[in-house]
Amino acid sequence: SSFDSLDVNSVPNPEGGREEGRLGAKLRALPAIRQFRKRLVEREPNLVQEFEEAFHIAMEESVRNAVRAACQRFELWPPKPPPDGIEASDCDYRDTSARLDVIAQRAFNDEAARRKLELAVGSPLRFTRRAVTASY
């Protein structure tokens, strides 16, 4: 990578002080970047596990957002009338063998359950923040 050949000590600073701006930030980050790269190359078990968990969270959220967008596009958010036999606690929108209106109701239920939990714990956008963090 472009950081491999960089050496913090080899970049002169005309003022003799600390590097400023973007280059300075990159140079100060260099030791951490190299250490992180080493951990990746060595496939450190804890790091691999964290990557797998983050990947799973990001993929789950992507699927959920795609289902929600499709339901909204087809004016099924929520379906009216609601499908018979689907309880408010039924959030299994991943069951793609179900009819589209059932999937939509379950996805809507999942959204409602998330919002209710976020309000109960006092952390609005908790799941959104978690997914965004996992994507980095």
Side-chain angles (χ1 to χ4, degrees), residues 55-132:
F55 177 79
H56 177 75
I57 291 167
M59 290 301 102
E60 282 286 319
E61 195 67 14
S62 294
V63 169
R64 188 179 164 284
N65 288 337
V67 168
R68 180 181 177 168
C71 293
Q72 289 172 332
R73 169 73 174 92
F74 293 114
E75 298 179 3
L76 292 170
W77 196 256
K80 292 185 184 178
D84 291 333
I86 304 300
E87 302 294 324
S89 61
D90 186 350
C91 300
D92 189 16
Y93 63 88
R94 293 171 204 86
D95 177 7
T96 57
S97 66
R99 293 186 331 259
L100 185 56
D101 64 330
V102 171
I103 293 171
Q105 185 63 54
R106 289 172 172 167
F108 187 81
N109 292 349
D110 181 69
E111 180 72 18
R114 281 178 166 217
R115 297 300 160 236
K116 184 176 181 180
L117 178 61
E118 288 174 340
L119 287 174
V121 298
S123 180
L125 302 176
R126 173 184 186 183
F127 294 101
T128 302
R129 222 179 0 262
R130 180 176 175 237
V132 169

Side-chain angles (χ1 to χ4, degrees), residues 34 42 135:
R34 286 187 174 148
E42 293 174 356
S135 71

Side-chain angles (χ1 to χ4, degrees), residues 30-40 42 44 47:
L30 189 57
I33 291 168
R34 286 187 174 148
Q35 179 60 31
F36 188 72
R37 180 177 185 272
K38 180 178 183 259
R39 292 172 63 202
L40 285 174
E42 293 174 356
E44 181 182 301
L47 188 58

